[in-house]
Amino acid sequence: MAQTLSREQHLDLYYYMRLNRSLEERMVRLFRQSKIVGGLYSSLGQEGISVGTAYALEARDWMAPMIRNIGALLVKGCKPRDIFTQHMAKYTSPTLGKDGTSHFGDLKTKHIVSPISMLGDLIPVLAGVGIAGRYLGQKIVAMTWIGDGGTSTGVFHEGMNFAAVQRAPLVCVVENNQWAYSTPVKRQVPIRNLAERAKSYGIASAIVDGNDVLAVYQAAKDAVERCRAGDGPVMIEAKTHRMRGHAQHDPAEYVPKAMVEYWTAQDPIGRYEKYLTNAGLWNEKKKAEIDARIERELDEDQKFAEESPLPPAELAEQGVFCDGCHEIKARWERPVEEVTPPRCSIEMDGWTVEDFGQLENIETEKMESVAVSKLAPSDQRSENVSGDAKSGVRSGGQKNTGAKSPARHPLRKGKN
Amino acid sequence: MAQTLSREQHLDLYYYMRLNRSLEERMVRLFRQSKIVGGLYSSLGQEGISVGTAYALEARDWMAPMIRNIGALLVKGCKPRDIFTQHMAKYTSPTLGKDGTSHFGDLKTKHIVSPISMLGDLIPVLAGVGIAGRYLGQKIVAMTWIGDGGTSTGVFHEGMNFAAVQRAPLVCVVENNQWAYSTPVKRQVPIRNLAERAKSYGIASAIVDGNDVLAVYQAAKDAVERCRAGDGPVMIEAKTHRMRGHAQHDPAEYVPKAMVEYWTAQDPIGRYEKYLTNAGLWNEKKKAEIDARIERELDEDQKFAEESPLPPAELAEQGVFCDGCHEIKARWERPVEEVTPPRCSIEMDGWTVEDFGQLENIETEKMESVAVSKLAPSDQRSENVSGDAKSGVRSGGQKNTGAKSPARHPLRKGKN
Amino acid sequence: MAAVTMVEAIRQALSEEMERDPAVVLIGEDISVYGGAFKVTEGLLNKFGWERVIDTPISESAIIGAAVGMSYMGLRPVAEMQFIDFLACAFNQMTNFVAKSHYRWGAPVPMVVRGPSGGGVHGGPFHSANPEMYYAHTPGLKVVYPSTPYDAKGLLKSAIRDNNPVLFLEHKFLYRRIKEELPEGEYTVPLGKAIVRREGADLTIISYAAMMHTSLEAAEKLAAEGISAEVIDLRTLMPLDKETILASVKKTSKLLIVHEDTRTGGIAGEIAAMVCENAFEDLDGPIQRVTSLDTPVPYSPPLEERFLPGVPDVMRAARELAQY
Amino acid sequence: MAAVTMVEAIRQALSEEMERDPAVVLIGEDISVYGGAFKVTEGLLNKFGWERVIDTPISESAIIGAAVGMSYMGLRPVAEMQFIDFLACAFNQMTNFVAKSHYRWGAPVPMVVRGPSGGGVHGGPFHSANPEMYYAHTPGLKVVYPSTPYDAKGLLKSAIRDNNPVLFLEHKFLYRRIKEELPEGEYTVPLGKAIVRREGADLTIISYAAMMHTSLEAAEKLAAEGISAEVIDLRTLMPLDKETILASVKKTSKLLIVHEDTRTGGIAGEIAAMVCENAFEDLDGPIQRVTSLDTPVPYSPPLEERFLPGVPDVMRAARELAQY
Ligand SMILES: Cc1ncc(C[n+]2csc(CCOP(=O)(O)OP(=O)(O)O)c2C)c(N)n1
Ligand SMILES: Cc1ncc(C[n+]2csc(CCOP(=O)(O)OP(=O)(O)O)c2C)c(N)n1
Ligand SMILES: [Mg+2]
Ligand SMILES: [Mg+2]
């Protein structure tokens, strides 16, 4: 519940959303001054999702952002200078200029995996992170984001299904912002709620008003807790709208004007400011203080970025392979004896086949009167929609045949 | 309804199932005699699915088999010799020995697309066939099969989603035979009914007793009609069991004995024979006649195959490219003027965005009392399963916003 | 006629072929209303309608798969990858379904896959791919990579009419940077034929796509130094025009290959081996390569500049070879 | 010690590494209860349990993706492709996520992808792949393709301990056809080092995997004809051991490269170019290639036999070269 957030935390959410927006506004100006290398994507109007979901993570948790998740990076501890320098391709950027935009990460302390451009690829990667974390005894959760369009990729499907089978601690946030580049969601995915897809993986899901940062936070918090408890992946669909073109070069003329107007009124920061005021959680002075702090920080980091050098050309030749530059070490939080012989020969719950298939469960009428109910006539097709249109969470369809009670660690039974 | 099948058609179904089985039994013997090149897959116990589904197709319709769909190939007009020669890699085989097993097709007359080994690839290919058929005015349906394991592939997802968006005339038969190689379905797909996946594409689906050839036929017939009427793809889940190992080399020790026994009693041919007898559709003599005909045909074709030569070595070097060896011609069954300027500038139904997203439809309670319903506690997880366990057909979740009535041709409106 | 860009030339090829043959259809992401990420298909929706300019979900495997299916029905689909980098997501369909179809079971696949390729525009590691060798190394595919608007138009027309799958790479650096007047009437440029862009006597420089312009510029400057370089534009990488290459090597006795693809496993190696096999005695010096680095394509301008071969790199190698 | 097959040697490597380092885990299709399609992982489930021998759905992209994720957590996953052909389905993850990770953002990916490769067992077009060049051409990946049980074990151990992604190809024709006694104690074979399998004076034959045995057999027979062939087994294709290659070429002055991969774009071209660049003056004859045909792998035995290089093909080329 939102009540569980302290005043400070409430203000934190505002801080990050506003920081996200002001940072991006500055980058638009820098883009117009040709100081940004390559494209610039905007998360205008979607700040509540990035910030609300990432705020539900703990420091030990892992995440991987997509192009519109600068807010999540900030919440997870990245600094505006990271974003500025990445976009300006500077030597001081986290990737030293080798990659741009939000394509950076931090394995050691912030636990961030860098995305790649190919949509959907992060899903199995973060599933792997979650499974590895469980194996190491770390009790971490892995979170990543994907767009409505990204759910069409094959790798999204493979990753979600694998995560579901493994009951990996993975939170997948689907940002349904109505568009994938120029393609409206209805031409991308022929269903109303993307969260429907969770059912096809037998996992829990929630649909949430993406422009309500508190609702987003709450759904994410629930999802993270569920994951951490070992209950498997959760998919959160956050409804929102992409308020700018796909990137700076795109005037988005294909978006109906009225649609933009409608969603402008739903601005997540505006709505949240009103809430904070009504709830007496701040006053003008406090707001001014935060805003001033943000400007200060941004001034400083923008200056840092602008004054930073570009990388030296020789860098291009370096680093294809890791030749001893990294020490690779797993952080064990359980005794390694548990996973080394002879103690690791543990049995797995739920592998053995206890039933013989589902023939008994389906209507096997006598052959003579075989009467498979006919396909619904086409004009009744859309009536049968049983989509849960509420903001809320549905339990997945997983049928736990065999298992006595939901195991915390789905791979272990008895023994250790 | 089964009643609509004539006596002859009823016997046809028997003929094909028995032909399928006897053919494969012979191939097992040939395999043991080392006359088969490469692996040999068995569809024992799944003949009802191949035969029942393919029997719902018309000559003009297209299909692409998977490894256990020899029955479908026979129904579509392939001869046992095609199967024998393919498996023996003979020069007289449809592929001249260049590929084996059921990896062959026929574009010109039988309308069969050759599969490749990579599971799932056929789904978008057959979607393309269906879309092209619609474009050409052919009113065809495209059918293909996939295993429970194959539904885990990314390309399955991409193909189904694309077919759904396009409302392509595609029938996808999911043969849930409980195993993918050694992997039981519950470790492959964390849901009870694979047909659930249809919902995530907003398309119609049916679950059917795969060992009941009439039920299979009926479901397929309904699906084919629905597709032909322009109502979009259908997924049929046929529950069955793989009665042998993955291929001849696999003793399938991982399959519980009792499971095999259970399913042996469900043998689709045995069940159907009983039905034919009870329904008075044949007698001993008729059965003997059919069986004899099958043996005759198989004798002849096996002999043909065994006596056929292997291909000449030089053939290996030929045919990478089509250098005028094929004439490529589309079979137009609508006036080409409809698709050439100026008449082809037609509008599409359902592209324009009429709504602004779903925010109104989800519970957007006042911020102050934000109360996203909590995630179900973990021990209630498996209670919420709302899986439709009945044999029957469910309508897809597609919400047809905007469209006045389901368009026959979803891409056209008004005009022609 | 006004000079046109490569984008416009490609659009003309698509439009003319679609007019000529109703079996030609387009399929890809954001190609209809939006006209494609680089606006190559702009205006074609209005001309040819929704059935022939087919927008897809973000599903490269479905795009390639559906295109194969369409081609089996006698259509000639032209599939667009938003960036050619994303063809990696359909690699299996391309190399296993598409490429092997005709050989395996005699089913021709008359389709074209096209998309923006190459670097030099700070696209970074995922928007700068030169994937030609993945596909040239796959028997069953043809690979085209033009360097001029004229060739782009003529080769795309040939590709569409070809009965085989053709990967048609469009260098995005060249999309709008060069213009050329095109002939009034219809013309095609045959697949599999290289062209001598510049005659020369001292050495042969083989290149294609953006690097062809780099090579030509280097050749001009070398001429000022008294080195006469012959420049060959491959245009088609598969099938490779061995005749044109060998004829030139026999004439100049020295060979330099310049490509933007990474070095190891690039087409320079293939050409080197082919020339060794067929013209070893004619060689008066070691075959040389000027290529990109064996790294991903870096993002920051100074890094990408170091990554890509430049005019000075070509000149240095050519000078050394000429003096050999 | 009894002689062991390559399958057994690989299994030993996996088992010993898993014992040595709990960070080593296996992931793939049917690798646990069933022990893998070729039984390479048989018995490992019982020894190391479900958490370390992870069965997956039929999802190659998820396998590779999850393995990367695990490696970011400090694990050293070894992913099995049921047949290496299916790595095509994870091509994007391999070439874009895995290969570029360390270069782009300094995140090492200590993982191994292994699987049965190669032809000669009538596997047909989809179970006979030699995909080495797709990956050797991708900066950031190492590629290993051993020819003996000893090397397979020692190289796999090195691959697992390497901080970089390694594609470890196992020629299925060799899986059970050759046996070798392995040393008692622990040993490794370093990546990136070729080995001279046979000393010779007249020409150098470079090969690897199954073709190494073909080449050796040819060399034996050539010796009887008075032709002394040196045979080099590359073992690692990326990084390529240029030193060993060049040293041999300098010695014999003639080079023949034999590979089972298709001809165009195979590694022979890369080696030819490299040798031209570094030892042109040492060459006394044209570098020659004996390779598979530029076709998919056909199914029927006579076709596959024609497709694959055989001992007579190697001998013919070697004779010609020796006489040059
Ligand atoms: C596999 C792949 N195909 C195509 C693209 C090109 N592309 C980049 S973003 C984008 C649209 C993404 O839409 P969505 O997933 O809804 O995210 P949004 O941009 O709305 O945040 C496309 C098509 C890509 N990055 N990856
Ligand atoms: C993409 C891909 N990965 C792996 C394989 C290897 N393989 C062949 S059949 C099979 C199991 C298929 O199971 P299922 O789809 O259920 O079909 P069934 O064999 O039960 O008919 C596997 C893993 C493959 N053919 N394609
Ligand atoms: Mg979107
Ligand atoms: Mg199965």
Side-chain angles (χ1 to χ4, degrees):
Chain A
M1 302 293 101
Q3 292 83 315
T4 64
L5 286 178
S6 68
R7 173 164 176 268
E8 204 175 335
Q9 288 172 313
H10 272 99
L11 296 183
D12 254 11
L13 291 176
Y14 171 77
Y15 166 77
Y16 284 118
M17 284 203 286
R18 171 62 68 191
L19 181 63
N20 181 355
R21 181 165 299 178
S22 300
L23 169 53
E24 290 195 30
E25 281 166 356
R26 282 175 186 245
M27 289 209 293
V28 171
R29 288 197 292 274
L30 290 166
F31 183 88
R32 298 207 174 118
Q33 295 162 24
S34 301
K35 287 180 177 165
I36 298 284
V37 175
L40 179 65
Y41 302 89
S42 161
S43 65
L44 186 76
Q46 299 180 224
E47 298 93 341
I49 301 171
S50 282
V51 169
T53 49
Y55 202 72
L57 295 176
E58 297 180 9
R60 61 178 155 171
D61 292 328
W62 283 66
M63 63 166 240
M66 281 300 293
I67 43 174
R68 301 188 208 287
N69 296 117
I70 284 177
L73 287 167
L74 296 170
V75 171
K76 202 77 174 77
C78 298
K79 294 291 160 216
R81 68 178 56 193
D82 298 331
I83 314 293
F84 281 128
T85 50
Q86 277 288 118
H87 282 81
M88 295 172 162
K90 293 297 178 78
Y91 195 33
T92 51
S93 79
T95 63
L96 315 176
K98 282 189 175 169
D99 206 343
T101 64
S102 45
H103 286 189
F104 67 98
D106 176 1
L107 297 182
K108 291 279 177 226
T109 56
K110 298 194 202 86
H111 307 319
I112 298 170
V113 172
S114 165
I116 71 171
S117 296
M118 286 70 185
L119 300 166
D121 276 7
L122 285 171
I123 311 276
V125 174
L126 273 275
V129 165
I131 292 164
R134 179 172 67 196
Y135 174 61
L136 293 165
Q138 292 180 3
K139 297 203 170 27
I140 55 153
V141 171
M143 181 182 280
T144 189
W145 294 261
I146 194 159
D148 41 292
T151 71
S152 300
T153 60
V155 69
F156 165 84
H157 175 70
E158 293 197 0
M160 287 310 305
N161 185 59
F162 176 60
V165 170
Q166 279 282 330
R167 302 184 68 193
L170 174 72
V171 178
C172 173
V173 183
V174 180
E175 297 192 61
N176 182 349
N177 65 3
Q178 316 299 328
W179 300 94
Y181 213 143
S182 73
T183 306
V185 64
K186 67 187 295 195
R187 297 292 302 165
Q188 178 82 230
V189 188
I191 49 174
R192 237 173 113 189
N193 294 313
L194 294 170
E196 282 290 320
R197 301 220 146 147
K199 279 194 192 157
S200 71
Y201 308 115
I203 62 171
S205 65
I207 299 176
V208 71
D209 173 353
N211 290 23
D212 173 350
V213 68
L214 290 179
V216 170
Y217 167 74
Q218 189 57 56
K221 186 82 184 154
D222 290 346
V224 165
E225 275 169 18
R226 191 184 172 102
C227 272
R228 209 183 305 281
D231 292 332
V234 181
M235 188 186 294
I236 297 172
E237 179 185 4
K239 308 274 193 185
T240 186
H241 188 254
R242 198 194 69 204
M243 299 299 291
R244 289 284 177 266
H246 175 62
Q248 278 293 320
H249 67 268
D250 169 19
E253 281 153 3
Y254 47 81
V255 180
K257 290 262 173 312
M259 188 167 181
V260 177
E261 279 162 25
Y262 168 84
W263 282 96
T264 304
Q266 302 292 341
D267 180 72
I269 299 187
R271 281 170 70 187
Y272 190 54
E273 287 178 339
K274 209 177 288 172
Y275 165 77
L276 289 176
T277 304
N278 291 347
L281 287 163
W282 70 358
N283 54 25
E284 278 302 313
K285 183 159 158 277
K286 185 75 205 167
K287 173 171 162 38
E289 243 174 68
I290 301 174
D291 291 350
R293 175 182 156 208
I294 287 170
E295 289 310 310
R296 230 173 24 244
E297 291 172 353
L298 290 175
D299 280 347
E300 191 178 311
D301 280 17
Q302 181 176 338
K303 183 157 179 285
F304 171 84
E306 292 201 51
E307 290 173 357
S308 286
L310 290 170
E314 313 83 70
L315 183 71
E317 289 157 25
Q318 297 155 21
V320 172
F321 290 109
C322 169
D323 293 321
C325 46
H326 289 87
E327 203 206 348
I328 293 169
K329 243 173 100 68
R331 193 162 50 81
W332 287 95
E333 299 198 356
R334 70 192 274 202
V336 295
E337 295 75 39
E338 273 185 31
V339 301
T340 27
R343 280 197 57 204
C344 61
S345 293
I346 47 176
E347 278 169 50
M348 190 212 257
D349 208 12
W351 176 277
T352 31
V353 179
E354 289 116 3
D355 55 7
F356 298 153
Q358 276 78 35
L359 210 50
E360 259 76 44
N361 302 342
I362 71 168
E363 213 166 59
T364 46
E365 298 189 346
K366 275 249 185 88
M367 275 282 187
E368 288 77 2
S369 61
V370 67
V372 180
S373 52
K374 269 192 80 71
L375 288 151
S378 59
D379 51 349
Q380 286 162 30
R381 205 172 49 254
S382 43
E383 259 72 79
N384 287 26
V385 176
S386 63
D388 179 348
K390 296 229 183 111
S391 162
V393 175
R394 295 167 315 199
S395 198
Q398 171 143 357
K399 178 80 180 167
N400 234 335
T401 41
K404 289 136 296 289
S405 72
R408 279 288 133 141
H409 187 312
L411 297 183
R412 266 178 286 150
K413 165 161 99 178
K415 294 256 185 133
N416 37 24
Chain B
M1 302 289 100
Q3 293 83 315
T4 64
L5 286 178
S6 68
R7 173 164 175 270
E8 204 175 333
Q9 288 173 313
H10 272 98
L11 296 183
D12 255 11
L13 290 176
Y14 171 77
Y15 165 78
Y16 285 118
M17 284 203 287
R18 172 63 68 193
L19 182 63
N20 182 357
R21 182 165 298 179
S22 300
L23 169 53
E24 290 195 30
E25 281 166 356
R26 282 175 187 245
M27 289 209 293
V28 171
R29 288 197 293 275
L30 290 166
F31 183 87
R32 298 208 174 116
Q33 295 162 23
S34 301
K35 288 181 177 166
I36 298 283
V37 176
L40 179 64
Y41 303 89
S42 161
S43 64
L44 187 76
Q46 299 180 224
E47 297 93 341
I49 302 171
S50 282
V51 170
T53 48
Y55 202 72
L57 295 176
E58 298 180 9
R60 61 177 156 173
D61 291 328
W62 284 67
M63 63 166 242
M66 281 300 292
I67 43 175
R68 302 189 208 285
N69 297 117
I70 284 177
L73 287 167
L74 295 170
V75 171
K76 203 78 173 76
C78 298
K79 296 291 160 214
R81 69 178 56 193
D82 297 332
I83 314 294
F84 282 128
T85 51
Q86 277 289 119
H87 282 81
M88 295 173 160
K90 293 298 179 78
Y91 195 33
T92 52
S93 78
T95 63
L96 314 176
K98 281 190 176 167
D99 205 344
T101 64
S102 45
H103 286 189
F104 68 99
D106 177 0
L107 296 181
K108 290 278 177 228
T109 56
K110 299 194 200 86
H111 307 318
I112 298 169
V113 172
S114 165
I116 71 171
S117 295
M118 287 69 185
L119 300 167
D121 277 7
L122 285 171
I123 311 276
V125 174
L126 273 275
V129 165
I131 293 163
R134 179 172 67 195
Y135 174 61
L136 293 165
Q138 292 180 3
K139 296 203 168 32
I140 54 153
V141 171
M143 180 182 279
T144 189
W145 293 262
I146 194 157
D148 41 292
T151 70
S152 301
T153 60
V155 68
F156 165 84
H157 175 71
E158 293 197 0
M160 287 310 303
N161 186 59
F162 176 60
V165 169
Q166 279 282 330
R167 304 185 65 193
L170 174 72
V171 178
C172 173
V173 183
V174 180
E175 296 193 60
N176 182 349
N177 66 3
Q178 316 299 325
W179 300 94
Y181 213 142
S182 74
T183 307
V185 63
K186 67 188 294 193
R187 296 293 300 164
Q188 177 83 230
V189 188
I191 50 174
R192 236 173 116 192
N193 294 313
L194 294 170
E196 282 289 322
R197 300 218 147 150
K199 279 194 193 157
S200 71
Y201 308 116
I203 63 171
S205 65
I207 299 176
V208 70
D209 172 352
N211 289 23
D212 174 350
V213 67
L214 290 179
V216 170
Y217 166 74
Q218 189 57 57
K221 186 81 182 156
D222 289 346
V224 165
E225 273 169 20
R226 191 184 171 99
C227 273
R228 211 183 302 284
D231 291 333
V234 182
M235 188 185 294
I236 297 172
E237 178 185 4
K239 308 274 194 186
T240 186
H241 188 254
R242 197 193 68 204
M243 298 299 290
R244 289 285 176 268
H246 176 62
Q248 279 293 319
H249 67 267
D250 169 20
E253 282 152 4
Y254 48 83
V255 179
K257 290 261 173 311
M259 189 167 181
V260 177
E261 279 161 26
Y262 169 84
W263 280 96
T264 303
Q266 301 292 342
D267 180 74
I269 298 187
R271 280 170 70 186
Y272 191 55
E273 286 177 341
K274 209 177 288 172
Y275 165 76
L276 289 177
T277 304
N278 292 347
L281 287 164
W282 70 359
N283 54 24
E284 279 302 315
K285 181 157 160 279
K286 186 75 205 167
K287 174 171 164 37
E289 243 173 66
I290 300 174
D291 291 349
R293 176 183 154 206
I294 287 171
E295 290 310 311
R296 229 172 26 245
E297 290 172 353
L298 288 174
D299 281 346
E300 192 179 310
D301 280 17
Q302 181 175 338
K303 183 156 179 285
F304 171 83
E306 293 201 50
E307 290 173 357
S308 285
L310 290 170
E314 314 83 70
L315 183 71
E317 289 158 24
Q318 297 155 19
V320 172
F321 290 108
C322 170
D323 292 321
C325 48
H326 288 88
E327 203 207 347
I328 294 169
K329 242 173 101 69
R331 193 162 50 78
W332 287 94
E333 300 198 358
R334 71 193 273 204
V336 295
E337 295 73 42
E338 274 186 29
V339 301
T340 25
R343 282 196 57 202
C344 62
S345 294
I346 46 177
E347 279 168 50
M348 190 210 257
D349 210 11
W351 175 277
T352 30
V353 178
E354 289 116 4
D355 55 6
F356 298 153
Q358 275 78 35
L359 210 50
E360 259 75 44
N361 303 342
I362 72 168
E363 214 167 57
T364 46
E365 297 189 347
K366 276 247 182 92
M367 275 280 187
E368 286 78 1
S369 61
V370 67
V372 180
S373 52
K374 270 193 77 74
L375 288 152
S378 59
D379 50 349
Q380 287 163 27
R381 205 175 46 257
S382 44
E383 259 71 80
N384 288 25
V385 176
S386 65
D388 179 349
K390 294 230 183 109
S391 159
V393 174
R394 294 167 315 199
S395 198
Q398 170 143 358
K399 176 80 181 166
N400 234 332
T401 41
K404 287 136 298 290
S405 70
R408 281 287 131 143
H409 187 313
L411 297 184
R412 267 177 285 149
K413 167 161 99 176
K415 292 255 186 138
N416 35 24
Chain C
M1 278 219 91
V4 303
T5 61
M6 198 179 238
V7 163
E8 171 63 21
I10 294 167
R11 190 186 301 122
Q12 283 183 14
L14 293 173
S15 186
E16 289 175 21
E17 289 304 297
M18 289 175 84
E19 257 175 275
R20 191 186 58 78
D21 183 357
V24 179
V25 298
L26 310 184
I27 182 169
E29 294 159 16
D30 303 291
I31 63 168
S32 73
V33 170
Y34 193 67
F38 286 86
K39 301 289 179 187
V40 171
T41 58
E42 192 162 52
L44 299 182
L45 171 66
N46 288 340
K47 203 159 166 192
F48 299 100
W50 300 93
E51 287 189 271
R52 297 183 69 184
V53 184
I54 304 170
D55 258 323
T56 70
I58 303 175
S59 304
E60 285 76 14
S61 283
I63 293 172
I64 302 300
V68 190
M70 289 172 174
S71 78
Y72 288 156
M73 298 291 286
L75 301 188
R76 293 182 176 273
V78 181
E80 171 171 308
M81 294 285 111
Q82 201 155 80
F83 283 81
I84 208 68
D85 309 60
F86 304 134
L87 188 53
C89 303
F91 185 78
N92 173 49
Q93 289 273 7
M94 272 301 275
T95 60
N96 283 313
F97 215 115
V98 173
K100 297 177 179 169
S101 178
H102 188 265
Y103 183 79
R104 286 200 308 118
W105 65 289
V109 180
M111 69 184 255
V112 175
V113 179
R114 45 160 294 273
S117 314
V121 303
H122 314 319
F126 308 111
H127 291 78
S128 310
N130 282 300
E132 53 264 38
M133 283 313 285
Y134 293 133
Y135 302 101
H137 180 51
T138 305
L141 302 176
K142 297 188 176 179
V143 181
V144 177
Y145 210 163
S147 70
T148 67
Y150 177 91
D151 276 1
K153 179 172 177 182
L155 285 163
L156 182 50
K157 286 186 156 223
S158 295
I160 291 171
R161 297 178 196 184
D162 200 280
N163 280 358
N164 297 285
V166 180
L167 176 60
F168 188 87
L169 303 170
E170 304 168 359
H171 204 294
K172 67 176 84 69
F173 185 85
L174 304 179
Y175 260 162
R176 294 190 163 83
R177 273 188 183 78
I178 44 172
K179 289 195 171 190
E180 200 173 9
E181 287 204 13
L182 302 186
E184 272 301 332
E186 123 115 13
Y187 71 95
T188 60
V189 174
L191 304 187
K193 292 271 170 256
I195 187 170
V196 178
R197 291 274 177 213
R198 187 185 200 285
E199 305 260 352
D202 298 338
L203 82 162
T204 299
I205 303 179
I206 293 180
S207 192
Y208 56 97
M211 283 303 130
M212 208 286 296
H213 298 278
T214 304
S215 301
L216 268 185
E217 193 182 327
E220 293 300 328
K221 292 192 173 158
L222 288 164
E225 298 180 9
I227 297 170
S228 162
E230 177 145 314
V231 178
I232 293 179
D233 183 353
L234 285 180
R235 305 198 290 194
T236 301
L237 278 71
M238 173 54 62
L240 196 60
D241 182 354
K242 296 179 185 171
E243 274 170 43
T244 303
I245 295 171
L246 292 173
S248 180
V249 169
K250 284 187 187 183
K251 177 175 150 195
T252 66
S253 303
K254 287 176 176 173
L255 178 58
L256 169 65
I257 306 151
V258 181
H259 61 62
E260 190 187 307
D261 192 5
T262 52
R263 188 179 194 80
T264 302
I267 198 158
E270 179 58 31
I271 295 172
M274 189 277 288
V275 170
C276 276
E277 282 160 353
N278 294 285
F280 183 72
E281 289 300 328
D282 297 301
L283 287 174
D284 274 352
I287 300 171
Q288 293 291 310
R289 309 184 267 187
V290 171
T291 70
S292 284
L293 300 176
D294 272 334
T295 71
V297 186
Y299 191 61
S300 195
L303 304 182
E304 190 178 19
E305 204 172 310
R306 170 65 63 100
F307 170 83
L308 294 171
V311 172
D313 303 310
V314 178
M315 289 179 70
R316 200 175 313 118
R319 253 185 241 119
E320 269 176 38
L321 191 53
Q323 282 150 18
Y324 188 90
Chain D
M1 277 220 87
V4 303
T5 62
M6 197 179 242
V7 163
E8 171 64 21
I10 294 167
R11 190 187 301 121
Q12 283 182 15
L14 293 173
S15 185
E16 288 174 21
E17 289 304 296
M18 289 176 85
E19 257 175 278
R20 191 185 59 78
D21 182 357
V24 179
V25 298
L26 310 184
I27 182 168
E29 293 159 16
D30 303 291
I31 63 168
S32 73
V33 171
Y34 193 67
F38 285 85
K39 301 288 179 188
V40 171
T41 58
E42 193 161 51
L44 299 182
L45 170 66
N46 288 342
K47 203 158 166 194
F48 299 101
W50 300 94
E51 285 188 273
R52 296 184 68 183
V53 184
I54 303 170
D55 258 324
T56 70
I58 304 175
S59 305
E60 285 75 14
S61 283
I63 293 172
I64 302 301
V68 189
M70 290 172 173
S71 78
Y72 288 156
M73 298 291 287
L75 301 188
R76 293 182 176 273
V78 181
E80 172 171 307
M81 294 287 109
Q82 200 156 79
F83 283 81
I84 208 69
D85 308 61
F86 304 135
L87 189 53
C89 302
F91 185 77
N92 173 49
Q93 289 274 7
M94 272 300 276
T95 59
N96 284 312
F97 216 115
V98 173
K100 297 176 179 169
S101 178
H102 188 266
Y103 183 78
R104 285 199 310 117
W105 65 289
V109 180
M111 68 184 255
V112 175
V113 179
R114 46 161 292 275
S117 313
V121 303
H122 314 318
F126 307 110
H127 291 77
S128 310
N130 282 299
E132 54 264 38
M133 283 313 285
Y134 293 133
Y135 302 100
H137 179 50
T138 305
L141 302 176
K142 297 188 177 181
V143 181
V144 177
Y145 210 162
S147 69
T148 68
Y150 177 91
D151 276 1
K153 179 172 177 180
L155 285 164
L156 182 50
K157 285 185 156 225
S158 296
I160 290 171
R161 297 177 195 185
D162 201 279
N163 281 358
N164 298 285
V166 180
L167 176 62
F168 188 87
L169 303 170
E170 304 167 359
H171 204 293
K172 66 177 84 69
F173 184 85
L174 304 178
Y175 259 162
R176 294 189 162 83
R177 274 187 182 78
I178 45 173
K179 287 194 172 192
E180 200 173 9
E181 287 203 13
L182 302 187
E184 273 299 333
E186 124 113 14
Y187 73 94
T188 60
V189 174
L191 304 188
K193 292 270 169 255
I195 187 169
V196 178
R197 290 276 176 212
R198 185 183 202 286
E199 304 258 353
D202 299 338
L203 81 162
T204 300
I205 303 179
I206 293 180
S207 192
Y208 55 97
M211 283 303 130
M212 209 286 297
H213 298 277
T214 304
S215 301
L216 268 185
E217 193 181 327
E220 293 300 329
K221 293 192 174 159
L222 287 164
E225 297 179 11
I227 297 171
S228 163
E230 177 144 313
V231 178
I232 293 180
D233 182 354
L234 285 180
R235 306 198 289 195
T236 300
L237 279 72
M238 173 54 60
L240 195 62
D241 182 353
K242 296 178 185 172
E243 274 170 43
T244 303
I245 295 171
L246 291 173
S248 180
V249 169
K250 285 189 182 176
K251 176 174 150 195
T252 66
S253 303
K254 286 176 178 174
L255 177 57
L256 169 65
I257 306 150
V258 181
H259 62 63
E260 190 187 307
D261 192 4
T262 52
R263 188 177 193 82
T264 302
I267 198 159
E270 179 57 32
I271 295 172
M274 189 276 288
V275 170
C276 276
E277 283 162 352
N278 294 285
F280 183 71
E281 289 300 327
D282 298 299
L283 287 174
D284 275 350
I287 300 171
Q288 293 290 310
R289 309 184 267 186
V290 172
T291 69
S292 285
L293 300 177
D294 272 334
T295 71
V297 186
Y299 190 62
S300 195
L303 304 184
E304 190 178 18
E305 204 171 308
R306 169 64 63 99
F307 170 84
L308 294 171
V311 173
D313 302 311
V314 178
M315 290 179 69
R316 201 175 314 119
R319 254 185 241 119
E320 268 176 39
L321 192 54
Q323 283 150 19
Y324 189 90

